[in-house]
Amino acid sequence: MGEAILKRERVRDHLLELIETHPAGAPIPAERVLCQQLSVSRPTVRSAVEELVNTGLLVRQHGRGTFVARAKITQEMVSGTGSMSLPQAGGTWESRVLEHARIPAGARVGRRLRLSPAAEIHYIARLRLVDGEPMALEYLHVPAFVAPGLTLHDMESGDFYERLREHGVHVLEAVQSIEPTVTNESEAALLSVPVLAPALLFERLTTDAEGRQVEYVHSIYRGDRYRIVSRLTLGDSPRNTVDVQARVGNDPLA
Amino acid sequence: MGEAILKRERVRDHLLELIETHPAGAPIPAERVLCQQLSVSRPTVRSAVEELVNTGLLVRQHGRGTFVARAKITQEMVSGTGSMSLPQAGGTWESRVLEHARIPAGARVGRRLRLSPAAEIHYIARLRLVDGEPMALEYLHVPAFVAPGLTLHDMESGDFYERLREHGVHVLEAVQSIEPTVTNESEAALLSVPVLAPALLFERLTTDAEGRQVEYVHSIYRGDRYRIVSRLTLGDSPRNTVDVQARVGNDPLA
DNA sequence: TGTAGAAAGTGGCATAGACCACTTCTCAGG
DNA sequence: CCTGAGAAGTGGTCTATGCCACTTTCTACA
């Protein structure tokens, strides 16, 4: 086991050296070149490269080449107490509303929001993009009583939480669940990734100072672009933060 | 894009059907058989199977065959307030102590525990196994003042938190960070997985009722065996839970 | 009757080659 | 000077084939 008998491992180790000695965004030799250098076949090289692409260390681009993945950017999604900012990474975020309706909560959402299934809620599904590239799907559910006159524009704009505060709703946040998952067909289509691509699912239940559930969010984030770090720090100053480390953009060059 | 032109995708879809129609643990046709049935080459079949193995839907066993992965078992790791149980999944857990010492906290750990770098702590590194199979690495750091007379046996046994309570330390728990990572060389060796295998890293900082940090834990869990679901529920009854969904054992049969 | 060994079936690794799709660059023609 | 066509280079997919390693089963011998 000590020696690297497998050619595939030998190739992988060679690639790891290249990755360590090259700056982010630098190209590595073409697959056919690596074949000659290491005296292995192309499928073997491709297999090794694929492994490192899956772990996020390399990036492949069709007619261009293979590159060392760029460093990840840390962004803060939720910060401080009672104030929330929308996730923003090193790029231009925009939202595209896919669906918007005022509907009964239903069993699943009603249970989470502690409403009867017949209670009315605002429902909005939106696609979030960075620099025009799909990044996440968000499904928001807000009880109608929280914001009776909520408009589409209110939910679309980043000022949603400020609007709530104007209504006397002081939000406290609870990240309820974060888990790795894979995309289903519709999610894959909307996010422009393959079916079964790794993704991150989170459910967030937002509570106000009086213990009322004021928002339930269900999100699917592209796993090839995001890493989740969830922090809950108790102690002197209560504070919840969720950092999303994102690698943004297809351009491997700085 | 609508049609499945790629053979690889056709094979994958066929496999997904098999997975849905077969119970967990059931074998799927041999690779060479699938080649004939679907009129594709073996590398193509292998590529599709590999994708589903990576996403955890299939399990391969060398001389035996390929099987539908068994359902995941949900286990509760932390439950209730002020009481903590060690993670236990559908199997026999045991701990193997790798290292144990009373040492200065150092800069990194000291900062987390709010101690001076020179302050003494108990340090213990242990390997956790399920049914004899390595599952996780845990690195515990406990300030010496919390439990002056702490013995190796205390830390090894599951009664650690009860022991603390006897000392008048009422623990409150905060899951600080959960993130996907990959194994480095030493971790891979200890966990019996390949280098760069997917893994879950968490850091846990335990705080008592007076706001003192009483424990800092740094853990590496095998990503091929675990899924993390972190829950923080505010509301009527404050309660933190962390569920670990584990698939245990190599035996795909019930 | 019991056991050792062969045989068959499985996944694991690797090769050589072909063709396609996409990107970039170059160079000739306007 | 600009533009467009083509060449060259890249990764993407697939085939056909061979051999190895591991597991299970069955057979033949003691």
Side-chain angles (χ1 to χ4, degrees):
Chain A
M1 293 286 184
E3 307 273 320
I5 321 169
L6 275 57
K7 299 199 172 182
R8 196 175 158 284
E9 295 188 1
R10 221 184 66 219
V11 175
R12 193 200 56 198
D13 291 344
H14 182 254
L15 290 172
L16 284 174
E17 265 200 50
L18 289 176
I19 291 169
E20 284 178 11
T21 56
H22 285 65
I28 65 170
E31 294 178 355
R32 289 168 181 81
V33 174
L34 287 169
C35 295
Q36 287 191 337
Q37 288 178 355
L38 302 174
S39 305
V40 296
S41 68
R42 193 148 90 97
T44 303
V45 167
R46 282 188 61 76
S47 165
V49 169
E50 200 168 303
E51 177 181 339
L52 296 178
V53 168
N54 286 337
T55 61
L57 293 169
L58 291 177
V59 176
R60 280 207 271 219
Q61 290 198 0
H62 199 142
R64 306 226 305 133
T66 304
F67 307 86
V68 176
R70 57 193 302 189
K72 301 177 184 71
I73 303 163
T74 299
Q75 66 155 130
E76 199 166 21
M77 179 171 140
V78 183
S79 168
T81 309
S83 95
M84 266 164 57
S85 57
L86 295 171
Q88 288 170 8
T92 308
W93 281 80
E94 49 178 329
S95 289
R96 187 175 305 161
V97 173
L98 303 174
E99 229 183 316
H100 175 231
R102 188 170 167 139
I103 56 172
R108 197 176 63 96
V109 174
R111 192 172 61 244
R112 283 177 175 72
L113 289 175
R114 302 195 182 174
L115 298 172
S116 82
E120 291 241 53
I121 61 166
H122 296 283
Y123 165 73
I124 189 167
R126 60 183 185 180
L127 179 65
R128 313 210 62 207
L129 308 95
V130 173
D131 294 334
E133 194 177 11
M135 283 291 164
L137 286 168
E138 256 184 19
Y139 304 92
L140 276 78
H141 307 264
V142 178
F145 75 83
V146 170
L150 198 70
T151 67
L152 178 60
H153 178 265
D154 286 343
M155 298 189 91
E156 241 178 310
S157 69
D159 305 313
F160 175 49
Y161 293 105
E162 291 188 4
R163 201 98 19 188
L164 285 184
R165 207 170 308 130
E166 292 170 8
H167 285 70
V169 177
H170 299 277
V171 295
L172 290 174
E173 223 232 350
V175 171
Q176 191 189 34
S177 138
I178 304 171
E179 63 178 315
T181 181
V182 291
T183 53
N184 64 25
E185 288 196 16
S186 67
E187 291 161 358
L190 289 166
L191 292 175
S192 303
V193 295
V195 177
L196 291 179
L200 291 161
L201 179 152
F202 38 133
E203 292 186 305
R204 186 175 65 202
L205 196 57
T206 306
T207 311
D208 73 358
E210 298 169 301
R212 295 184 308 176
Q213 275 68 38
V214 296
E215 183 199 46
Y216 167 63
V217 186
H218 169 121
S219 313
I220 305 285
Y221 277 72
R222 287 177 60 166
D224 59 340
R225 297 247 175 277
Y226 280 90
R227 266 178 86 184
I228 286 290
V229 181
S230 127
R231 288 207 181 81
L232 164 62
T233 309
L234 300 175
D236 303 351
S237 54
R239 174 194 165 104
N240 293 347
T241 67
V242 175
D243 289 348
V244 180
Q245 297 187 333
R247 16 181 208 288
V248 181
N250 281 328
D251 176 23
L253 305 174
Chain B
M1 293 287 184
E3 307 272 321
I5 321 169
L6 275 58
K7 299 200 174 184
R8 197 175 156 284
E9 296 188 359
R10 221 185 66 218
V11 175
R12 192 200 57 198
D13 291 343
H14 182 254
L15 290 173
L16 284 174
E17 266 200 47
L18 289 176
I19 291 170
E20 284 179 10
T21 56
H22 285 66
I28 66 171
E31 294 178 355
R32 288 168 181 82
V33 174
L34 288 170
C35 295
Q36 287 192 338
Q37 288 179 355
L38 302 174
S39 305
V40 295
S41 69
R42 195 150 89 97
T44 303
V45 167
R46 281 188 62 76
S47 165
V49 169
E50 199 167 305
E51 177 181 339
L52 296 178
V53 167
N54 285 338
T55 61
L57 292 167
L58 291 177
V59 176
R60 279 208 271 220
Q61 289 199 0
H62 198 143
R64 305 228 303 135
T66 304
F67 307 85
V68 177
R70 57 192 299 189
K72 300 178 182 71
I73 304 162
T74 299
Q75 66 154 130
E76 200 165 19
M77 181 170 137
V78 182
S79 168
T81 309
S83 93
M84 265 162 61
S85 56
L86 295 171
Q88 288 171 8
T92 308
W93 281 80
E94 49 178 330
S95 290
R96 188 174 304 161
V97 173
L98 304 174
E99 230 182 315
H100 174 231
R102 189 170 166 139
I103 55 173
R108 196 177 65 94
V109 174
R111 191 171 62 243
R112 283 175 176 73
L113 288 174
R114 303 198 180 171
L115 298 173
S116 83
E120 292 243 331
I121 61 165
H122 295 282
Y123 166 73
I124 190 169
R126 59 183 185 182
L127 179 66
R128 314 211 61 207
L129 308 97
V130 174
D131 295 333
E133 195 177 11
M135 283 289 163
L137 287 167
E138 254 184 19
Y139 304 92
L140 277 79
H141 307 264
V142 178
F145 74 83
V146 170
L150 198 70
T151 67
L152 178 59
H153 179 263
D154 286 341
M155 299 189 91
E156 241 178 309
S157 69
D159 305 311
F160 175 48
Y161 295 103
E162 290 188 5
R163 201 97 20 187
L164 285 183
R165 207 170 308 130
E166 292 172 8
H167 285 70
V169 178
H170 298 279
V171 296
L172 291 174
E173 137 123 340
V175 171
Q176 193 189 31
S177 138
I178 304 171
E179 63 179 314
T181 181
V182 291
T183 52
N184 64 25
E185 288 196 17
S186 68
E187 290 161 358
L190 289 166
L191 291 175
S192 303
V193 295
V195 176
L196 290 179
L200 290 162
L201 178 152
F202 41 152
E203 291 187 304
R204 187 177 65 202
L205 196 58
T206 306
T207 311
D208 73 358
E210 298 170 298
R212 297 183 305 176
Q213 275 68 39
V214 296
E215 182 198 46
Y216 166 63
V217 185
H218 169 121
S219 312
I220 305 285
Y221 276 73
R222 287 177 60 166
D224 59 340
R225 296 251 176 272
Y226 280 91
R227 270 178 84 184
I228 285 291
V229 180
S230 127
R231 288 205 181 83
L232 165 62
T233 309
L234 301 175
D236 303 351
S237 53
R239 173 195 165 102
N240 293 347
T241 66
V242 174
D243 288 348
V244 180
Q245 297 186 335
R247 12 179 212 291
V248 181
N250 281 327
D251 178 22
L253 306 174

